[in-house]
Amino acid sequence: MRFECRGLTFTYPGANRPVLENLSFSMAAPGFNAVFGPSGVGKTSFARLVAGNGKQGSGWFTYEGISTILYSYNQERLPGWSSTGSHLDKVCPPGKEGLKQELIRIFDVESLMSSRFSQLSMGQQNRMNLIRYLIQDFDMLILDESLANVDEALRETIILAVKQIFPDRLFLYISHNLTEVARFCRDILILGHGENLVVRGRDYCQGYLPDKEGLDRTMLEIMNAV
Amino acid sequence: MLFRRIYQFLIVYVLALAGLMAIKYTVGLSDYVIPGLELIRETAGRVASGYFFDVMNTLSVTVLGQLISIIMAFTVGILGRKSSWVGSFIKVMAYNIQAYPIVALAPIIFILLGDGFLSRLLIASMICYFPLLLSVLGIMAAPITDIEHFYIATGRMRWQLEVKIRAFENLSKLTTVIAGSATLAMAGTIVAEFIAADAGIGYSIRIALYQSDLAGILVALFMIGIIISIYQGMLETLGEQMKTKWSAPKGGELL
């Protein structure tokens, strides 16, 4: 599996400056990878370009072993005419019922299955939305702040579980949480106003032993790169 | 909702009547020009029951015409929601045709179809169809990106689901537009009856007009207003019930 980007430049129609300029990097293994940077540097634009959501930039992407790319973001909604459980049932592909139940348990949303989406808090909505993506067939899933508003402990549980359940898929995690990105992601693409580069994260997995010194070093490296 | 509609109409009607009386007594007009309250009451006693059935006759055409226009507007709105050339063509046609005053076409309809039920029905449905169509087109052509994205990305989007999402998200707008179109359909039917018909309240108003019977016209207006208020109130209540039934939480707790 390999995901590579070469010379990507993207300018919004009518804008003076490109939001992404000559972006090149490569991610060569499945797992949790991240896109990190301050607001407005083009993280979401980049994610949408990768997912091919109607935007076209100059430059090219290479996808090896990746045919299905899904893009999820934190403002998505489930339709309001029936319960969230019923919506999850409807979009669950055959044979994925067990996975769905497991994710419902890990994401701690069992008690929300009979509620309407609009009744849920932001964090609950984001968890519910992410579950329906994870039960689909995909090779690469972009999580654009998909765990925003979820409390830190549960977020860690979810990320570690997802890493364990889907070891052969590529995740592109977009977050503003420096510690989280440094701890759980392997390759971290730093988008800044200057040069863009990839920093190697700690990539902690289930049962990890915290390495404070190493984590601080990685965080410092990321901060310096931003 | 229903009672609010009725008393709002009553307030407007009484104010209008008070305005007429004020003009009458200020300028010193005779009962022939503006009838006094006693004459209006007397006329009401004489014609009220006949006018009631006339309004009901008009209302039956109105309801049927509105139903036809709703079906047509949704069919064309759903077909025209896409940004394909067919969708664009339908939208351009709809915007251009609605700019033309449909009432002006009424004489052609009467020449071709003659007086009677079909002509009234056709004019009623045409007059309320275009405003309805523009609203439905606008609603159906506007994507609800944050809901539709998942279904598009996973290849689950079907036209029925797309329509369902957009209709559900715009339920308030749709019910308001449908309730509002009742007045248009009623206006269309009455106009048709004014021009050339042999039944309905419009026909009765035309007779009252030829007799310069303003009292009769005022009674007819009261009948039209009160019945259309009840009808609109019922439509709005129905819309509210639909919204509640479709979207209200069933089970689960507010979290």
Side-chain angles (χ1 to χ4, degrees), chain B residues 60-191:
Chain B
S60 62
V61 178
T62 297
V63 173
L64 201 57
Q66 196 190 5
L67 201 67
I68 291 170
S69 62
I70 290 170
I71 294 169
M72 276 165 52
F74 270 84
T75 309
V76 178
I78 288 166
L79 289 173
R81 75 192 189 286
K82 291 284 179 198
S83 52
S84 61
W85 74 266
V86 181
S88 304
F89 179 73
I90 289 172
K91 267 178 267 184
V92 169
M93 286 282 284
Y95 284 115
N96 282 290
I97 294 175
Q98 70 88 35
Y100 197 84
I102 300 301
V103 178
L105 300 176
I108 298 176
I109 293 167
F110 280 107
I111 289 168
L112 294 176
L113 298 174
D115 294 3
F117 174 75
L118 257 186
S119 299
R120 289 158 73 201
L121 182 66
L122 194 57
I123 291 168
S125 52
M126 277 172 72
I127 284 183
C128 93
Y129 165 69
F130 285 104
L132 251 177
L133 173 65
L134 294 188
S135 302
V136 175
L137 258 180
I139 286 168
M140 289 301 163
I144 313 289
T145 320
D146 49 356
I147 294 182
E148 293 176 17
H149 170 77
F150 171 81
Y151 298 100
I152 295 167
T154 56
R156 285 190 168 79
M157 188 55 99
R158 302 283 175 272
W159 73 266
Q160 296 94 329
L161 180 61
E162 190 175 84
V163 167
K164 192 175 174 181
I165 291 171
R166 293 177 189 183
F168 181 81
E169 288 293 310
N170 291 287
L171 208 52
S172 297
K173 279 188 207 164
L174 284 173
T175 49
T176 308
V177 164
I178 288 171
S181 73
T183 317
L184 288 172
M186 189 77 160
T189 317
I190 292 172
V191 164

Side-chain angles (χ1 to χ4, degrees), chain A residues 71-72 76 129-136 138, chain B residues 149-150:
Chain A
Y71 168 67
S72 74
E76 283 185 83
N129 180 43
L130 187 51
I131 291 174
R132 63 177 181 163
Y133 275 98
L134 288 168
I135 56 178
Q136 306 306 315
F138 65 90
Chain B
H149 170 77
F150 171 81

